[in-house]
Amino acid sequence: MSLLSDLVNLNLSDATGKIIAEYIWIGGSGMDIRSKARTLAGPVTDPSKLPKWNYDGSSTGQAAGDDSEVILYPQAIFKDPFRRGNNILVMCDAYTPAGDPIPTNKRYNAAKIFSDPKVSSEVPWYGIEQEYTLMQKDINWPIGWPIGGYPGPQGPYYCGVGADKAIGRDIVDAHYKACLYAGIGISGINGEVMPGQWEFQVGPVEGISAGDQVWIARYLLERITEISGVNVSFDPKPVPGDWNGAGAHCNYSTKSMRNDGGLEVIKKAIEKLQVKHKEHIAAYGEGNERRLTGKHETADINTFSWGVANRGASVRVGRDTEKEGKGYFEDRRPASNMDPYVVTSMIAETTILG
């Protein structure tokens, strides 16, 4: 095993100028992350300089078997914390050979919205709070929970310390550092209310980059849990009953909201979100009705509400924003399995383009 470890950790720059690029994309379910690697002649920092590639879409639920070729377009580059050196991770989206985005390519439409002059001039910032649950590998049950049983009730686990409270901290800390190494704008982590559940935050990040960075952060988490022999769940209600669900709260601001008088802009934006509540809920993740019950720090899925410092509302405005008269607000409705391309671009479209 020590020899295997030595080989895995080989520094390629000692022997060759070539690098490894891991191409990453989203599969047919909308949540299955796929990747494969290729050798490049040397370091690359501009995604437009990377070659397009293809994959078998019939094996990912994205193409028919008799016409299965799907083309990967490189869109963003990150440093690879696993291979290190000049090796890279490449976030891609997917197209037909004719150059049309395939139906599951959510990045394409998001990029169009973010490139709209009205949107880009507002410089939209996002902070995504991605919750997730670490699960035992062979059974669908959180780590640290007795098989077929339950731990003590919620209360001591949120931001808790100790082996009986902070379950899986080594995985979480490894992920935190891997994200920083990769160049992701991760701004923090914390233990969540349900034991075995954690959160990381990405942001503030502008525009389409928010989606790219959240997807790469998810990829890194999947890889680290793979190494650790546990599974990660983005299910919005992994354990039924009196346990908190998992969300992906989206903090959002525009230039107008961040400037003097921004609170009035925020209130008008929230009014626009209320009008489009059903459309947003439909796009905010699968199974969200199991989470948005009006309990466990959520609003009821059928009723839009907002308030200052209210974590039981659909949209929360912070005390600092109220005090300063400008800042940001938090859309608390998105589920943990939401697509960040969809959620971020939809919020911009509703609040800026109307």
Side-chain angles (χ1 to χ4, degrees):
M1 291 300 293
S2 60
L3 177 58
L4 178 60
S5 178
D6 289 343
L7 290 171
V8 167
N9 293 308
L10 271 178
N11 185 348
L12 294 180
S13 61
D14 291 341
T16 179
K18 295 180 179 179
I19 70 158
I20 301 171
E22 190 78 25
Y23 279 47
I24 299 164
W25 71 97
I26 303 154
S29 75
M31 276 303 291
D32 55 316
I33 302 173
R34 311 282 180 139
S35 76
K36 61 177 182 173
R38 68 182 299 164
T39 305
L40 301 177
V44 180
T45 57
D46 182 351
S48 67
K49 304 297 184 183
L50 288 168
K52 296 173 184 176
W53 207 5
N54 65 75
Y55 68 91
D56 173 16
S58 68
S59 296
T60 63
Q62 293 172 298
D66 59 352
D67 188 15
S68 66
E69 191 167 286
V70 180
I71 312 301
L72 291 170
Y73 284 34
Q75 299 290 359
I77 292 174
F78 299 85
K79 293 174 65 178
D80 187 339
F82 304 107
R83 296 186 175 109
R84 305 181 195 179
N86 291 319
N87 303 299
I88 55 176
L89 306 175
V90 184
M91 189 66 211
C92 305
D93 59 353
Y95 297 78
T96 68
D100 299 316
I102 65 173
T104 55
N105 180 351
K106 306 302 182 184
R107 191 186 192 280
Y108 177 81
N109 186 62
K112 285 203 301 182
I113 292 170
F114 285 120
S115 64
D116 185 290
K118 291 182 180 179
V119 175
S120 60
S121 66
E122 279 290 349
V123 194
W125 289 358
Y126 298 89
I128 309 295
E129 303 174 28
Q130 176 68 71
E131 296 177 344
Y132 60 93
T133 309
L134 298 173
M135 310 292 281
Q136 299 178 48
K137 185 176 180 181
D138 297 322
I139 60 171
N140 190 35
W141 207 238
I143 64 170
W145 290 39
I147 296 174
Y150 298 89
Q154 295 182 154
Y157 309 105
Y158 173 70
C159 298
V161 178
D164 58 341
K165 304 176 192 72
I167 305 165
R169 189 189 293 276
D170 53 345
I171 293 171
V172 174
D173 201 49
H175 176 252
Y176 195 174
K177 292 178 179 178
C179 284
L180 287 171
Y181 182 94
I184 292 167
I186 186 170
S187 49
I189 58 165
N190 61 266
E192 266 305 326
V193 178
M194 190 180 82
Q197 192 175 82
W198 293 81
E199 172 184 301
F200 65 86
Q201 303 96 32
V202 172
V205 181
E206 182 182 342
I208 194 71
S209 293
D212 291 337
Q213 293 194 26
V214 169
W215 274 115
I216 292 296
R218 286 175 172 176
Y219 169 82
L220 294 175
L221 184 57
E222 294 270 15
R223 286 286 306 275
I224 290 166
T225 52
E226 171 190 321
I227 294 167
S228 303
V230 303
N231 292 330
V232 58
S233 171
F234 295 104
D235 189 288
K237 190 72 173 180
V239 180
D242 194 22
W243 304 96
N244 273 37
H249 306 151
C250 184
N251 299 277
Y252 169 70
S253 71
T254 62
K255 183 169 66 175
S256 297
M257 295 174 190
R258 296 187 292 269
N259 289 339
D260 290 343
L263 183 56
E264 291 306 311
V265 181
I266 288 172
K267 289 178 179 178
K268 290 177 181 178
I270 292 173
E271 289 175 3
K272 293 178 181 179
L273 289 174
Q274 181 171 9
V275 172
K276 294 284 189 178
H277 178 62
K278 289 184 178 179
E279 291 91 335
H280 279 253
I281 286 295
Y284 274 15
E286 295 294 326
N288 211 9
E289 71 283 350
R290 294 183 281 115
R291 166 180 163 262
L292 295 181
T293 61
K295 300 178 181 179
H296 305 109
E297 299 180 295
T298 70
D300 183 87
I301 194 169
N302 298 308
T303 306
F304 183 91
S305 61
W306 77 276
V308 176
N310 184 359
R311 283 181 164 76
S314 307
V315 171
R316 179 184 69 87
V317 175
R319 289 288 183 200
D320 286 345
T321 296
E322 180 189 43
K323 180 180 178 181
E324 297 293 330
K326 60 184 176 181
Y328 70 96
F329 66 83
E330 175 192 35
D331 190 338
R332 295 180 59 82
R333 297 172 294 172
S336 51
N337 59 5
M338 63 83 171
D339 188 318
Y341 293 134
V342 173
V343 169
T344 56
S345 62
M346 195 173 193
I347 291 174
E349 183 176 36
T350 297
T351 60
I352 300 173
L353 301 179

